Amino acid sequence: MGEWIPFEEGRYRAERVLLLAGEERAVAVEDAVIDVAAGPAGRRRLQGRGRVQNELVVRLLDESEELDVLLDLGGEFKYRMRRPAIQGGKVFSPGVQSFIVFAPQTPWEQLSEEKFNSLTNRVRILDGAQE
């Protein structure tokens, strides 16, 4: 994989992160940050983390086993990670939150502000309320 991470090493707070199932439903990831570090051969690696309601993630996985991550780092820095590696907690009681960790497995796709807003405006964000 070539160098595709446009950020220097460090920790970056994300303005908005969503776990996305298909193009219809999503779950918000709270208090999300990404860490960029040097990996083998000096290539940068990225790993993100944030809090989610586990029960909502399970509901997303009922719709699609493949989740994407929408990542807004502010300004023009909006991305879609397709099918990243995701690790998370295993307590599924209503309202319980845990940290998830996500890392891209392929280069992420930078989205224009217009495309990012169009996508986030049409998805339904699950919030734990009974449906």
Side-chain angles (χ1 to χ4, degrees):
M1 189 180 323
E3 187 62 69
W4 50 268
I5 299 172
F7 304 106
E8 297 298 322
E9 290 183 51
R11 177 167 290 160
Y12 300 87
R13 180 165 300 282
E15 289 189 9
R16 186 173 190 194
V17 176
L18 298 174
L19 286 179
L20 180 66
E23 302 280 323
E24 297 177 11
R25 294 181 12 138
V27 169
V29 179
E30 299 175 14
D31 303 320
V33 296
I34 63 165
D35 291 307
V36 176
R43 289 192 179 147
R44 285 171 272 188
R45 293 182 179 233
L46 181 146
Q47 183 176 30
R49 70 176 184 280
R51 290 182 302 115
V52 294
Q53 287 189 40
N54 299 353
E55 175 189 28
L56 298 179
V57 175
V58 170
R59 286 171 50 194
L60 277 185
L61 290 168
D62 285 343
E63 288 191 27
S64 174
E65 290 184 19
E66 295 179 348
L67 302 179
D68 290 350
V69 171
L70 291 179
L71 181 65
D72 179 356
L73 297 173
E76 68 203 55
F77 301 104
K78 293 170 179 33
Y79 300 92
R80 183 173 189 164
M81 289 183 194
R82 295 193 185 268
R83 296 180 300 278
I86 299 174
Q87 297 175 336
K90 301 200 178 5
V91 177
F92 304 111
S93 299
V96 171
Q97 289 188 331
S98 69
F99 275 94
I100 63 164
V101 175
F102 54 91
Q105 299 189 98
T106 59
W108 56 8
E109 170 188 356
Q110 186 166 11
L111 302 176
S112 67
E113 180 114 17
E114 180 181 327
K115 188 170 183 175
F116 184 88
N117 289 337
S118 174
L119 183 56
T120 58
N121 286 336
R122 76 174 174 260
V123 298
R124 185 163 157 252
I125 299 175
L126 304 180
D127 64 6
Q130 292 295 328
E131 296 176 32

